């Protein structure tokens, strides 16, 4: 048992530096877009690995001891131990190799499907510009920005400062960035129809944006007009909607000019004013490229300010070079405020598929390891078969057996194990395919 535990422990010790090296490569080479502050390796994984390898080593040692204890002295003296043990060991080794080949095939198929899915996700249009745009957010606390005019003044001054930066083509404001955790929804209904029952009102995403938001973000206005500077706090309330919103609420009708009523978020509260639809824009995948676009409403930021504001900067070249500059612009307007979540829109889109890419990367690594184990297992079967049947092959050679016949004799067991593993793996592939499709 000591020998088995030493072998298992040695393998576990070798696995630790290999795992740390892989972890370092993932972080430093940015194979996965993980935050460095959340990627420290603690003692828990090492402890779990130690328990796992020692447990496996003890179980295998116990199996070996039990098999040895079942061998009688007479059989040892008669020289039959090797043949009997070889048959039992061969059956066990074949079973393990069958499982390894089946697991390898399933992992390869699953990893291939995930790679194809990742390729398709990379080609999905999120609905907004993914190059040359930098975005960040600023929190506006109620104590200093209780009034809407104060929030609007802060946003306008920051936008003016951003536009003055070298290399900036345009800048605008919005309540939140796409594909983020922050978002707002609002209950609504068509003003030309009877109001629905309480609790049955449709809900759509609500995003206040600046006048240049659609041009900066590259969102096409397909019908009507975009917001302008004339859509200010004193102007008539207007809104824009996405194509999904128009199709869901005005099927076969023109949405431009229609009135939308809203409902108070508090029971008995005063509802927001009715707004007129002045434009329709392309759909944006606010929940990530893996999710279909949902109905969305846009309102002028000047008419609907929030206590959290986001800014969008369209630049020439790499937008990351302006990360420090946008911080200075914000603090120049209000020294107590700071830019947060400074990201490019390209990074936002990549982040929406991060979990998918991480799973694909791990499946590929496991598939590579499974291939190596299957190769070692098949080699073990061939080597054992050749050793255990060396006397038989010598006799066959003496009576005229050809090398191809001897090769088939040795490789037969390995081919049977591989074929059985492939059959089981193909069956598992169907289950894996259905699971991924669902």
């Amino acid at each position: 048992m000591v020998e088995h535990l030493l072998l298992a422990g040695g393998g576990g010790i070798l696995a630790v530096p290999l795992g740390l090296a892989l972890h370092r490569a993932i972080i430093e080479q940015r194979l996965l877009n993980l935050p460095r502050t959340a990627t420290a390796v603690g003692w828990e994984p090492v402890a779990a690995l130690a328990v796992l390898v020692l447990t496996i080593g003890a179980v295998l040692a116990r199996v070996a001891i039990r098999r040895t204890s079942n061998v009688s002295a007479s059989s040892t003296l008669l020289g039959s131990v090797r043949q009997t043990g070889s048959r039992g060991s061969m059956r066990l080794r074949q079973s393990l190799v069958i499982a390894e080949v089946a697991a390898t095939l399933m992992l390869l198929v699953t990893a291939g499907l995930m790679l194809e899915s990742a390729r398709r996700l990379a080609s999905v249009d999120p609905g907004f510009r993914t190059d040359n745009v930098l975005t960040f957010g600023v929190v506006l606390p109620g104590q200093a920005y209780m009034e809407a005019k104060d929030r609007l003044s802060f946003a306008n001054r920051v936008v003016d400062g951003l536009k003055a930066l070298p290399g900036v083509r345009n800048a605008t404001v919005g309540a939140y960035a796409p594909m983020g955790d922050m978002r707002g929804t609002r209950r609504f209904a068509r003003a030309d129809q009877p109001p629905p029952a309480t609790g049955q009102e449709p809900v759509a995403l609500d995003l206040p944006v600046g006048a240049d938001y659609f041009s900066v973000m590259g969102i096409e206005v397909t019908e009507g007009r975009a917001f302008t500077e004339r859509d200010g706090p004193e102007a008539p309330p207007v809104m824009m909607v996405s194509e999904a919103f128009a199709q869901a609420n005005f099927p076969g009708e023109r949405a431009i000019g229609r009135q939308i009523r809203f409902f108070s978020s508090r029971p008995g509260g005063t509802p927001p004013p009715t707004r007129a639809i002045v434009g329709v824009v392309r759909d944006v995948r606010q929940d990530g490229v893996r999710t279909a676009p949902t109905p969305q409403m846009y309102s002028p930021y000047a008419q609907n300010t929030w206590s959290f504001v986001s800014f969008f900067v369209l630049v020439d070249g790499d937008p990351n070079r302006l990360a420090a500059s946008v911080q200075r612009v914000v603090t120049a307007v209000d020294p107590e405020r700071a830019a947060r979540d400074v990201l490019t829109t390209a990074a936002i889109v990549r982040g929406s598929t991060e979990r998918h890419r991480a799973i694909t990367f791990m499946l590929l690594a496991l598939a590579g390891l499974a291939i190596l184990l299957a190769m070692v297992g098949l080699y073990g079967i061939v080597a054992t078969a050749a050793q255990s049947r060396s006397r038989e092959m010598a006799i066959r050679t003496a009576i005229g057996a050809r090398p191809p016949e001897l090769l088939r004799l040795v490789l037969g067991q390995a081919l049977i194990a591989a074929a059985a593993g492939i059959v089981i793996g193909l069956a598992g592939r169907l289950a894996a395919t259905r699971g991924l499709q669902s």
Side-chain angles (χ1 to χ4, degrees), residues 58-205:
V59 171
L60 294 178
R62 182 61 179 171
V63 172
I65 292 173
R66 177 171 296 181
R67 291 178 58 84
T68 304
S69 64
N70 291 333
V71 178
S72 64
S74 59
S75 60
T76 303
L77 294 175
L78 291 174
S80 61
V81 174
R82 182 175 177 179
Q83 183 178 3
T84 304
S86 297
R87 290 178 180 175
S89 299
M90 181 62 71
R91 286 195 296 269
L92 176 60
R93 188 175 290 109
Q94 282 182 322
S95 300
L96 292 176
V97 170
I98 290 172
E100 290 171 354
V101 173
T104 300
L105 182 58
M106 290 180 61
L107 285 171
L108 284 174
V109 170
T110 305
L113 292 174
M114 293 292 287
L115 278 175
E116 176 62 18
S117 177
R119 185 191 66 80
R120 293 184 179 181
L121 287 177
S123 63
V124 173
D125 182 8
F128 56 87
R129 193 193 306 272
T130 57
D131 57 339
N132 304 110
V133 176
L134 186 72
T135 178
F136 62 93
V138 180
V139 178
L140 303 178
Q143 297 84 351
Y145 296 92
M146 187 70 68
E147 300 293 332
K149 61 181 182 63
D150 297 326
R151 298 191 290 270
L152 181 59
S153 174
F154 173 86
N156 289 336
R157 292 172 62 191
V158 171
V159 168
D160 291 339
L162 294 173
K163 290 181 177 179
L165 292 175
V168 172
R169 293 158 55 185
N170 202 352
T172 189
V173 64
Y176 53 85
M179 300 184 183
D181 296 330
M182 177 172 292
R183 64 202 41 224
T185 58
R186 179 172 290 187
R187 296 179 298 131
F188 69 93
R190 290 177 53 163
D192 59 348
Q193 294 181 352
T198 303
Q200 301 299 317
E201 306 92 347
V203 177
L205 293 173

Side-chain angles (χ1 to χ4, degrees), residues 148-401:
K149 61 181 182 63
D150 297 326
R151 298 191 290 270
L152 181 59
S153 174
F154 173 86
N156 289 336
R157 292 172 62 191
V158 171
V159 168
D160 291 339
L162 294 173
K163 290 181 177 179
L165 292 175
V168 172
R169 293 158 55 185
N170 202 352
T172 189
V173 64
Y176 53 85
M179 300 184 183
D181 296 330
M182 177 172 292
R183 64 202 41 224
T185 58
R186 179 172 290 187
R187 296 179 298 131
F188 69 93
R190 290 177 53 163
D192 59 348
Q193 294 181 352
T198 303
Q200 301 299 317
E201 306 92 347
V203 177
L205 293 173
D206 179 31
L207 176 58
V209 298
D212 294 329
Y213 176 81
F214 300 103
S215 62
V216 169
M217 294 295 286
I219 302 174
E220 180 186 357
V221 179
T222 58
E223 188 178 2
R225 68 171 178 88
F227 297 139
T228 67
E229 298 296 339
R230 294 190 299 271
D231 297 316
E234 306 302 326
V238 294
M239 63 183 294
M240 298 176 68
V241 299
S242 65
E243 291 177 334
F245 183 99
Q247 293 169 3
N249 294 279
F250 302 97
E253 304 177 60
R254 193 167 185 265
I256 301 299
R258 298 301 183 94
Q259 297 281 330
I260 297 295
R261 65 158 60 98
F262 301 96
F263 302 90
S264 174
S265 58
R266 298 186 303 272
T270 302
T274 299
R275 294 183 178 273
I277 299 176
V278 296
V280 179
V281 298
R282 286 183 58 201
D283 291 326
V284 171
R285 297 177 182 268
Q286 289 286 353
D287 296 320
V289 294
R290 300 180 62 187
T291 306
T294 56
Q296 181 158 353
M297 304 178 292
Y298 300 89
S299 57
Y301 186 79
Q303 299 179 358
N304 187 18
T305 60
W306 283 19
S307 59
F308 183 87
V309 58
S310 294
F311 296 91
F312 306 86
V313 189
L314 178 61
V315 305
D316 293 317
D318 183 12
N320 286 303
R321 62 183 177 83
L322 292 180
S325 299
V326 299
Q327 290 281 4
R328 290 193 293 270
V329 170
V330 173
T331 54
V333 176
D334 186 344
E336 297 184 358
R337 305 275 71 79
R340 52 181 289 182
D341 300 328
V342 183
L343 295 169
T344 64
T345 50
I348 291 175
V349 175
R350 286 197 305 269
S352 70
T353 60
E354 185 58 45
R355 182 172 178 269
H356 186 92
R357 290 189 293 117
I359 294 175
T360 303
F361 179 83
M362 288 185 290
L363 283 174
L364 286 173
L366 290 175
L369 179 60
I371 291 174
L372 178 61
L373 292 176
M375 291 173 60
V376 172
L378 290 172
Y379 170 79
I381 289 180
V382 174
T384 302
Q387 182 180 9
S388 62
R389 307 183 73 169
S390 58
R391 183 178 179 183
E392 178 186 351
M393 288 190 293
I395 296 174
R396 288 177 178 269
T397 302
I399 62 177

